[in-house]
Amino acid sequence: FAEHQQQALALLASLSDGLDRQRGGALAASLDALYDGVSAIVRRTNLADAPQHLAEADAIIADIAEAWAAIG
């Protein structure tokens, strides 16, 4: 479980690091805050409550992926 948790955190950090905060303005700031929030969910998750918290994080990321897919 810990390995998957670390992979998720690394992915979220990569998404955050890839934001162009200068040109992205409010959108970049919002995405950064969102990635930070999802990272907090993943960090506080332990094996006992993993399904509940990870389902929450998954739903948030799925919404973002859907929005990006709609943009094209």
Side-chain angles (χ1 to χ4, degrees):
F1 173 77
E3 181 179 329
H4 293 282
Q5 189 178 34
Q6 290 304 314
Q7 288 174 346
L9 290 170
L11 175 64
L12 289 161
S14 179
L15 289 169
S16 180
D17 291 345
L19 294 171
D20 185 340
R21 287 164 180 79
Q22 275 191 328
R23 294 188 328 175
L27 177 59
S30 293
L31 286 170
D32 191 42
L34 185 71
Y35 298 151
D36 189 50
V38 174
S39 293
I41 292 169
V42 173
R43 277 192 300 276
R44 75 171 181 247
T45 300
N46 61 46
L47 196 53
D49 63 8
Q52 173 191 355
H53 290 296
L54 294 180
E56 179 183 358
D58 183 58
I60 294 167
I61 295 298
D63 287 345
I64 295 169
E66 186 178 309
W68 280 113
I71 292 171

